[in-house]
Amino acid sequence: MVHVLVTLIPNPQASEAAENYKKRAVEVRDEYGAEVVLRMQAKERLLGSFEEESIRVLKFPSVDHVRGWLTDPRYLEVLPYRDQAYHKVTITVLEDL
C-alpha cells in the first residue's frame, strides 16, 4: 500500500467544472483501488505559507496503481475541468520513514 497526498486550491468561480471533474475523476480513481483516508479543509494557518485549502490523503495498492490512474485516458479527458476548477493541484506519493 502507498499513500498519496493531494492538495488543492479551488477556484470558487468554477463550481460546475469542479462537479464535472469530481464525478468523472473519482470513478476512474476508484477503479485503481483508491481509498480516501482523510478529506480535510485548511482552517487556520499558524505558521508558514501553505496556500492549499483542500487536502486529501488517499491509499492505493501500489505506485503503479497511482500512475495508472493519472495516465488513464478517461482521467486525461477530465483534465480541462480540473484546470478550470482548481488554481493549483499537487499529487505526491508519500513514503514511510
Side-chain angles (χ1 to χ4, degrees), residues 42-78:
K43 182 177 179 180
E44 180 180 2
R45 283 159 188 60
L46 300 175
L47 179 68
S49 61
F50 188 74
E51 296 175 357
E52 285 73 4
E53 294 178 9
S54 190
I55 300 161
R56 312 282 189 271
V57 176
L58 309 173
K59 184 167 55 171
F60 283 85
S62 71
V63 173
D64 288 337
H65 285 81
V66 178
R67 288 187 179 113
W69 164 48
L70 295 175
T71 59
D72 187 295
R74 296 168 299 157
Y75 180 74
L76 297 176
E77 284 179 5
V78 299

